[in-house]
């Protein structure tokens, strides 16, 4: 359980099997830089079954939502409003954090960007991304937009999550379709605060939020030493 990771000082969620009375909950209410609370917030609900991890990200206080015009798989949706999810199984040799993980991003307009990430130095300055198709890889998504919120409902096959795409690190792949006991992960959101020229974030027009703040300024998400823990129920 999460009690086993209290000593790390990093956030943790106990994730139950789907069908229990309450899902695991991760709250995103801080800026990624760690310099205070964000103006908006998100609630991420989690559960799993034998084949999939289910992630329901509800983005609250979305006062402005411009459409940047992205529509194709792996368009650069991270330049605007987006829900991002980085995840890797917990490997004993990872030390402070994984060198390989999956990045799974979804826009309010149901456009997906996904890749396996190789991050040898575990910092945002050393990443290599290996994109993969948005269909046929075990990822299912849908989005719903409201007046001041939007929701990303996602389903990820453990077969994908257990083996980050094209990771060059030996032994950094669990060749299994079954859920693993523990994952390292972080949830992020980029939230538009005011009208965006061309629908793209710039300067202080957007806020950058994290479940587990990366403490990097200017904002940077690829800091796996700050990934929290998802502990799946036995």
């Amino acid at each position: 359980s999460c009690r086993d990771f209290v000593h790390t000082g990093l956030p943790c969620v106990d994730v139950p099997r789907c069908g229990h009375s309450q899902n695991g909950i991760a709250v995103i209410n801080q800026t990624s830089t760690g310099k205070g609370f964000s103006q908006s917030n998100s609630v991420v609900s989690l559960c799993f079954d034998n084949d999939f991890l289910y992630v329901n990200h509800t983005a609250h206080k979305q006062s402005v939502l411009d459409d940047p015009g992205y529509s194709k798989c792996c368009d650069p949706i991270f330049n605007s409003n987006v829900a991002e999810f980085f995840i890797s199984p917990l490997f004993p040799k990872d030390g402070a954090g994984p060198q390989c993980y999956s990045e799974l991003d979804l826009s309010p307009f149901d456009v997906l960007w996904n890749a396996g990430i190789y991050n040898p130095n575990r910092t945002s300055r050393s990443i290599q991304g290996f994109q993969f198709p948005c269909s046929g890889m075990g990822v299912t998504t849908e989005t719903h937009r409201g007046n001041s919120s939007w929701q990303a409902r996602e389903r990820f096959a453990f077969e994908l999550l257990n083996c980050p795409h094209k990771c060059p690190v030996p032994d950094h792949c669990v060749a299994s379709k079954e859920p693993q006991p523990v994952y390292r992960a972080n949830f992020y959101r980029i939230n538009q605060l005011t009208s965006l020229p061309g629908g793209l974030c710039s300067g202080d027009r957007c806020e950058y939020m994290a479940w587990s703040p990366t403490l990097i300024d200017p904002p940077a998400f690829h800091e796996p030493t700050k990934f929290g823990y998802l502990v799946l129920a036995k």
Side-chain angles (χ1 to χ4, degrees), residues 137-153:
M137 296 292 285
V139 179
T140 303
T141 67
E142 63 176 284
T143 58
H144 302 277
R145 297 186 301 276
N147 290 332
S148 59
S149 66
W150 65 278
Q151 187 176 72
R153 299 176 64 88

Side-chain angles (χ1 to χ4, degrees), residues 11-190:
C12 180
V13 174
D14 285 309
V15 182
R17 286 190 170 271
C18 298
H20 282 235
S21 58
Q22 186 172 355
N23 287 351
I25 298 294
V27 176
I28 307 173
N29 61 4
Q30 302 178 73
T31 62
S32 67
T33 60
K35 294 184 176 180
F37 290 106
S38 50
Q39 297 184 40
S40 55
N41 63 79
S42 287
V43 176
V44 183
S45 173
L46 301 149
C47 70
F48 74 100
D49 59 23
N50 289 339
D51 302 302
F52 298 99
L53 177 68
Y54 297 83
V55 179
N56 186 351
H57 182 141
T58 303
H60 297 288
K61 296 186 178 181
Q62 183 78 50
S63 57
V64 190
L65 189 59
D66 289 340
D67 184 354
Y70 298 133
S71 60
K72 300 189 298 295
C73 172
C74 287
D75 274 352
I77 59 173
F78 40 75
N79 290 323
S80 189
N81 297 290
V82 70
E84 302 193 12
F85 179 37
F86 296 5
I87 184 170
S88 169
L90 175 63
F91 291 104
K93 297 180 181 179
D94 273 343
Q99 291 180 300
C100 290
Y101 46 91
S102 299
E103 177 176 353
L104 304 152
D105 304 346
L106 188 64
S107 83
F109 302 94
D110 204 18
V111 180
L112 185 65
W113 190 97
N114 42 218
I117 303 296
Y118 175 46
N119 190 342
N121 298 328
R122 301 183 178 92
T123 74
S124 55
R125 297 181 297 276
S126 67
I127 60 173
Q128 299 177 45
F130 304 100
Q131 295 178 0
F132 55 84
C134 293
S135 60
M137 296 292 285
V139 179
T140 303
T141 67
E142 63 176 284
T143 58
H144 302 277
R145 297 186 301 276
N147 290 332
S148 59
S149 66
W150 65 278
Q151 187 176 72
R153 299 176 64 88
E154 303 165 285
R155 187 185 75 174
F156 304 110
F158 285 113
E159 184 176 15
L160 170 68
L161 302 183
N162 292 345
C163 194
H165 186 62
K166 290 190 176 180
C167 177
V169 180
D171 302 322
H172 205 103
C173 174
V174 179
S176 170
K177 299 180 181 180
E178 298 180 354
Q180 299 303 295
V182 182
Y183 292 83
R184 296 294 303 270
N186 211 346
F187 300 97
Y188 309 97
R189 176 180 164 198
I190 299 176

